[in-house]
Amino acid sequence: MTRRDWRRHTLAALIAVGGPGLITLLAREKRARDAAARDRRRAEASARAAERLQRAAEALSRAVSPADVLDAVLTSGVAAAEARAGMIAELSEDGTELIPIAWRGFPPELSERWGRFPVAAAYPMSEAVRTGEPVFIRSREELDARYPTLAMGPDTTYANVCLPLIVDDVTIGGLVFSFDSDQEFDERRRALKIALARQAAQALQRARMFEAVREAEGRVSFLAEASELLSRSLEYEVQMQRLADLAVPHLADWCTVDVLNESGEIERVAVAHEDPEEVAWGWEVHRRVPPRPDSLLGVPYVLRTGEAEFLPEVPRKLLATALESEPELAEILERVGVRSWICVPLKGHGRVLGALTLVGAESGRIFTNADLELAKALASRASLAIENALLYREAERRADAARALTYVGDAVVLVDSDEVVRYWNRAAELLLQVGRDDALGARAADAVPGWDALTAHAVPADASTGKRARAVTVPVVVAGVELWLSVAAVDFGDGSVYALRDRTEERVLEQARTDFVATASHELRTPLAAVYGSVRTLQRDDAELGDENRELLLSIIERETERLTEIVSQILLADQLGSDSFRVDAEACDLKLLTEEVVRAARVRAPKGIEVEVEAPPALPLVRGDEDKLRQVLVNLVENAIKYSPEGGNVVIRLEVSNGNGRIVVRDRGIGIAPADQQRIFEKFTRLDPGLSRGVGGTGLGLYITRELIARMGGTISVDSVPGSGSTFIVELPVQA
Amino acid sequence: MLLVDDEAPMRAVCRLNLELEGFDVLEAEEGREALALASRERPDLVLLDVMMPSMDGFDVARRLQSDPATRAIPVVFMTALAASDDRRRGFDAGGVGYVVKPFDPVYLGATVRHTLDRLAAGDRDGLRREVLDAP
């Protein structure tokens, strides 16, 4: 039995049962049938709507990027809403405007006419966003009546639904569905559209967050890469070029880095572009048209003010106005095709070091705030790198200079304009006998012995004139010893550098030479005066001399001439001893015999009051040496002993054997030699009495010659003396094997 | 006349020439001996070498000056120190004449006589000029 049969059968049964209730029953049955049909239709529509909503939800969930979401909303969403067209607008950052970001199904002229519009406007979308409640408009009549200022124009739009896009109670924009016929929005349809909007909002937010995360990750890895490459070099020119290369084309079409060099000029250190030819052009154009420091925008402006310059969309008008004064630059910007511009300062310790520039050009990219932030982050890393590089460079330079100054033989002292010591090298420590720690920070007058004398003589040369500092030699007492210091000083504005060199030895030698000339001339003059005087006297014809006097004068001439010869040969000998070609023989010499011979001659010439004695053991081995030279040694020592005993006293020459050497000890009771001078006396030209006031004759060569001769015979000489009590010279010579 | 010089040959030559000129000559070979002789013998003039051991000539001259007994005795220096500074030192030490070695001893007597004449005439400044202005 079919259902119809069952119904008919039931009906027949009812009629058969009869009665007046039958008609009523039939009418009721019809109503029930109609309701069921309506329910069925409604259920079917619901099922279709649910299915469309499901499809839209699926499409939205598949959408990853904001663009995908917008696309899903405007295709699946519009279909689900049974609408003809749709539009999505986002709320501007400040929340005052709505910016349409995607259209679908509207005639093109409409989407062109609608730019951004205020949230405060009397428009349905504005109202929906403002109130957070959907706005349903059933017909064109209703639209025109409720929103007279909307002025939709003669298009086919009839009904509209404007829905706020809200996520977590925050409105992010609005969604509009447009229908091409008047609509009735029952509860069910309203609920569906609200659900659609909620899903769209969530999907859009999710996509934006996803994109933000991805971008952030990109930025983080970009910055990490930038940091890494910056740490790889200490040459900031290299670093900056690598950094710029990293920035293109990922971040910008062009990237340049400029730094302020030491003289405050703008120096370009990096140019990057994907195309190497463009890079070459970039360098060339920078050389050809160097940036003008007073320029009103761009790198010079940023370097001057230390402020970032951000022009997301470079206004052509501004460019034209600002560049009127710089037509060449305008040309360059035109050639580059600048669309978007970021220029951020590179700062270190409050100082502007340079500028990093990003240019959006042929790619049509428009920089965002996020790009500006990225550029700033990049700039802070670049600044750090440049500063490190500069510090390193400075440290290297100082280290080089300091190293050089440490090892330089001259004492180098730097004082600032307050005459406080700021540098003190090792040689200064040694020369001036003041440690670095004590000198640094001290007043120069306290740290440098004889500072006043030094500065009185050494006038610092002005460094800016490039004139060489003239060194002067000044006597200074350091730790109780007089030193002759040559001083040269240079004034460099913030202070002065003093270079001090110990010239004491040179000074002593120079003085000794001067003294030698004086001494030698006196030594030559004395016998000469006697010879000349004798000759002139012999030539007298105004008086009778007598044979005895004539004989006396002739013997004076003879003796004094010999003396002259001896002095001259001593000078020549001293000169020869300086050269390697001087030779001595090594033969067996009888020391005793030689000594007695020398002493015999000395006794004849010794002044009264001086006895010359010899003490020797009966047997003495022969020594090895050169007889003539050994005789000269003995003559020198004995004559010295006599010469420096002006008050008289005996001179004793003792011969002995000691440690297998033949030893000669010559002792006098004369004036003696101060301990400080006991080594000096064996040096060339040294006389302990340069003023000659004592009148003790001598060329100052005697002991030098003596020491040299003994040394060449393989022996040694030393002295032991107490001033005022006499001197003892000890000569040791090897015994003849 | 007192002749002071540590160089015996020099003394001999000077003495011979001075004696030929008729002067009586005393000799000393160093400062102390010279001071003692001057004080004891009161010579008319001292010919004084500068460079001698123990005590130099300038010193000897100053000591002669400071002793009232010898103050009046004029001193003539004989020395190889020819610089004008040395001559000035000589005068500052009280000298009235200055003979630079090597000199011609033949004229030594004439120099002594000239000096004594000038002093007798009270012309000490003239003597001073002669020596200091010499080339």
Side-chain angles (χ1 to χ4, degrees):
Chain A
M1 195 166 58
T2 65
R3 204 166 166 171
R4 187 178 282 266
D5 292 341
W6 179 80
R7 205 185 274 170
R8 202 185 303 134
H9 177 76
T10 308
L11 198 59
L14 283 170
I15 293 166
V17 173
L22 182 65
I23 300 304
T24 312
L25 191 69
L26 283 174
R28 203 182 287 163
E29 209 255 19
K30 163 116 176 63
R31 277 204 301 278
R33 212 169 47 236
D34 287 350
R38 207 163 55 239
D39 284 352
R40 197 169 57 242
R41 275 201 308 276
R42 197 176 286 175
E44 280 166 5
S46 278
R48 277 199 308 276
E51 195 190 321
R52 283 199 296 273
L53 186 60
Q54 181 60 33
R55 264 207 301 279
E58 277 172 16
L60 286 174
S61 71
R62 274 198 307 273
V64 172
S65 71
D68 293 344
V69 170
L70 297 176
D71 192 54
V73 170
L74 294 179
T75 50
S76 310
V78 165
E82 299 164 290
R84 172 190 59 119
M87 183 270 271
I88 298 169
E90 68 176 0
L91 197 60
S92 65
E93 267 176 42
D94 60 3
T96 63
E97 286 184 314
L98 280 160
I99 306 154
I101 50 173
W103 301 80
R104 189 65 50 87
F106 285 104
E109 64 272 16
L110 189 70
S111 50
E112 271 166 29
R113 194 146 49 85
W114 279 88
R116 46 177 67 198
F117 54 94
V119 171
Y123 301 152
M125 167 92 79
S126 297
E127 187 185 314
V129 167
R130 212 162 53 233
T131 61
E133 297 294 334
V135 174
F136 295 93
I137 299 153
R138 284 166 297 173
S139 63
R140 177 64 188 258
E141 289 74 36
E142 189 185 343
L143 185 70
D144 289 346
R146 283 177 64 182
Y147 304 99
T149 55
L150 188 57
M152 288 298 288
D155 66 58
T156 54
T157 304
Y158 296 91
N160 266 302
V161 179
C162 292
L163 301 145
L165 295 172
I166 299 173
V167 183
D168 298 336
D169 296 332
V170 176
T171 306
I172 60 168
L175 168 64
V176 59
F177 293 125
S178 195
F179 302 83
D180 52 6
S181 58
D182 290 351
Q183 299 283 316
E184 279 304 321
F185 298 109
D186 57 15
E187 203 54 40
R188 183 184 55 82
R189 291 189 71 186
R190 286 177 187 236
L192 181 121
K193 294 188 177 39
I194 291 167
L196 258 177
R198 195 173 55 241
Q199 287 189 358
Q202 282 171 352
L204 192 60
Q205 182 70 352
R206 203 173 55 239
R208 281 178 166 182
M209 279 172 69
F210 177 77
E211 193 176 63
V213 167
R214 209 177 52 182
E215 266 183 21
E217 278 174 352
R219 283 162 214 274
V220 166
S221 67
F222 178 74
L223 284 176
E225 202 177 336
S227 301
E228 206 270 320
L229 74 82
L230 285 176
S231 69
R232 254 184 280 160
S233 169
L234 274 167
E235 294 291 319
Y236 71 80
E237 293 89 343
V238 176
Q239 293 173 333
M240 292 307 119
Q241 185 60 52
R242 284 183 186 163
L243 187 74
D245 289 341
L246 189 68
V248 297
H250 172 75
L251 191 61
D253 296 316
W254 288 88
C255 179
T256 60
V257 181
D258 299 88
V259 295
L260 281 172
N261 68 15
E262 280 172 10
S263 27
E265 291 158 347
I266 299 171
E267 192 181 321
R268 180 147 293 181
V269 291
V271 175
H273 188 275
E274 223 181 346
D275 182 351
E277 278 183 27
E278 289 287 272
V279 172
W281 175 80
W283 282 112
E284 190 257 314
V285 84
H286 178 77
R287 271 189 294 275
R288 193 155 46 81
V289 188
R292 274 172 39 176
D294 59 343
S295 192
L296 290 172
L297 74 170
V299 173
Y301 170 81
V302 171
L303 291 177
R304 211 168 51 237
T305 62
E307 302 287 335
E309 195 178 56
F310 177 34
L311 299 168
E313 288 176 81
V314 178
R316 303 190 71 77
K317 218 168 102 187
L318 171 87
L319 213 58
T321 316
L323 294 176
E324 257 170 23
S325 54
E326 294 176 72
E328 307 102 319
L329 190 55
E331 229 171 82
I332 292 161
L333 294 176
E334 188 70 29
R335 153 86 162 72
V336 169
V338 179
R339 292 273 306 270
S340 196
W341 169 272
I342 290 175
C343 186
V344 286
L346 308 177
K347 286 187 189 173
H349 284 106
R351 201 161 60 89
V352 179
L353 303 168
L356 173 86
T357 308
L358 298 174
V359 176
E362 64 272 18
S363 69
R365 89 178 68 219
I366 301 297
F367 292 130
T368 62
N369 274 324
D371 293 320
L372 176 63
E373 291 310 313
L374 182 61
K376 283 181 178 169
L378 211 53
S380 83
R381 279 161 179 77
S383 309
L384 213 61
I386 291 181
E387 236 191 353
N388 280 344
L390 288 176
L391 279 176
Y392 179 75
R393 207 172 280 188
E394 179 62 19
E396 281 278 278
R397 209 167 55 190
R398 283 193 186 200
D400 280 351
R403 247 197 313 275
L405 288 178
T406 303
Y407 293 113
V408 96
D410 290 8
V412 177
V413 175
L414 189 154
V415 301
D416 65 18
S417 43
D418 294 328
E419 296 216 324
V420 171
V421 176
R422 294 297 174 205
Y423 184 82
W424 192 263
N425 71 352
R426 179 85 187 114
E429 288 189 320
L430 294 173
L431 179 59
L432 302 172
Q433 311 231 336
V434 176
R436 194 168 162 274
D437 294 342
D438 293 330
L440 292 182
R443 292 190 50 80
D446 300 331
V448 183
W451 176 253
D452 292 339
L454 288 174
T455 45
H457 290 91
V459 180
D462 189 344
S464 60
T465 63
K467 261 191 184 169
R468 268 190 63 145
R470 252 189 33 170
V472 291
T473 303
V474 183
V476 170
V477 176
V478 175
V481 177
E482 187 188 65
L483 297 181
W484 285 81
L485 301 183
S486 109
V487 195
V490 176
D491 182 345
F492 55 88
D494 297 333
S496 303
V497 181
Y498 288 83
L500 302 122
R501 179 178 299 183
D502 186 359
R503 305 279 300 185
T504 310
E505 267 184 38
E506 287 93 331
R507 178 78 191 188
V508 165
L509 195 63
E510 205 176 299
Q511 189 60 47
R513 270 179 218 281
T514 310
D515 292 346
F516 170 72
V517 172
T519 311
S521 64
H522 176 256
E523 283 301 295
L524 292 168
R525 257 183 200 183
T526 304
L528 214 54
V531 171
Y532 178 66
S534 302
V535 172
R536 287 294 292 148
T537 310
L538 284 167
Q539 284 173 336
R540 277 187 89 134
D541 48 13
D542 61 335
E544 192 49 53
L545 278 173
D547 287 345
E548 199 181 331
N549 285 336
R550 206 179 297 273
E551 210 46 52
L552 172 67
L553 290 171
L554 285 172
S555 73
I556 288 175
I557 290 170
E558 186 188 10
R559 227 166 33 233
E560 295 304 296
T561 310
E562 276 170 10
R563 197 169 146 193
L564 275 173
T565 310
E566 188 158 327
I567 293 167
V568 171
S569 61
Q570 207 174 52
I571 293 170
L572 289 174
L573 181 58
D575 189 50
Q576 283 169 6
L577 282 170
S579 77
D580 294 335
S581 58
F582 186 78
R583 296 193 62 83
V584 293
D585 291 332
E587 56 201 15
C589 301
D590 188 334
L591 202 50
K592 204 170 168 182
L593 215 65
L594 270 172
T595 305
E596 279 163 357
E597 183 190 315
V598 168
V599 167
R600 244 193 325 274
R603 280 180 185 140
V604 176
R605 295 166 67 158
K608 48 195 172 185
I610 294 184
E611 299 270 333
V612 185
E613 300 165 22
V614 179
E615 294 174 2
L620 202 67
L622 300 175
V623 296
R624 194 172 68 240
D626 183 311
E627 200 176 285
D628 284 345
K629 308 293 186 285
L630 196 50
R631 184 183 293 110
Q632 191 156 7
V633 166
L634 287 163
V635 167
N636 285 351
L637 290 176
V638 172
E639 285 196 347
N640 266 353
I642 295 169
K643 197 160 72 178
Y644 290 100
S645 301
E647 311 289 328
N650 289 354
V651 172
V652 177
I653 297 106
R654 195 170 72 243
L655 303 177
E656 57 194 32
V657 177
S658 167
N659 297 328
N661 286 329
R663 182 188 264 185
I664 311 163
V665 180
V666 181
R667 199 208 67 208
D668 66 58
R669 297 291 184 202
I671 56 176
I673 305 155
D677 295 326
Q678 290 179 10
Q679 274 312 302
R680 231 155 54 77
I681 53 172
F682 296 110
E683 287 165 17
K684 212 173 181 175
F685 303 135
T686 299
R687 281 177 45 101
L688 298 184
D689 183 24
L692 300 175
S693 61
R694 288 189 196 277
V696 175
T699 53
L701 293 170
L703 282 176
Y704 165 72
I705 289 169
T706 303
R707 185 199 66 184
E708 286 295 307
L709 291 177
I710 293 168
R712 280 159 202 267
M713 288 186 281
T716 59
I717 182 167
S718 60
V719 68
D720 184 15
S721 174
V722 177
S725 320
S727 307
T728 305
F729 285 84
I730 301 143
V731 177
E732 298 209 350
L733 285 167
V735 168
Q736 178 70 15
Chain B
M1 186 82 21
L2 174 59
L3 180 63
V4 189
D5 197 313
D6 61 316
E7 286 283 328
M10 204 58 212
R11 284 202 306 275
V13 172
C14 292
R15 180 197 187 104
L16 199 53
N17 283 284
L18 288 168
E19 283 176 348
L20 287 174
E21 299 284 328
F23 292 101
D24 285 334
V25 180
L26 292 168
E27 281 183 45
E29 67 170 303
E30 50 89 30
R32 237 171 300 255
E33 190 187 358
L35 289 172
L37 270 174
S39 178
R40 197 172 68 229
E41 303 291 336
R42 305 284 170 90
D44 295 330
L45 186 138
V46 180
L47 280 166
L48 188 53
D49 182 26
V50 174
M51 287 183 287
M52 294 183 295
S54 309
M55 190 189 295
D56 75 19
F58 295 138
D59 210 6
V60 173
R62 274 189 292 270
R63 290 186 189 216
L64 288 172
Q65 283 287 303
S66 63
D67 183 351
T70 53
R71 179 174 300 158
I73 305 170
V75 172
V76 172
F77 291 108
M78 307 183 296
T79 179
L81 299 177
S84 62
D85 274 0
D86 295 318
R87 298 187 215 192
R88 198 174 302 279
R89 272 175 74 199
F91 276 94
D92 292 346
V96 292
Y98 203 94
V99 185
V100 179
K101 288 180 182 174
F103 56 85
D104 190 340
V106 174
Y107 302 115
L108 191 57
T111 302
V112 168
R113 207 168 287 122
H114 170 76
T115 304
L116 290 172
D117 288 350
R118 282 289 173 183
L119 287 173
D123 190 13
R124 216 178 169 92
D125 288 348
L127 287 170
R128 184 184 166 87
R129 267 199 309 281
E130 277 172 31
V131 174
L132 292 184
D133 295 348

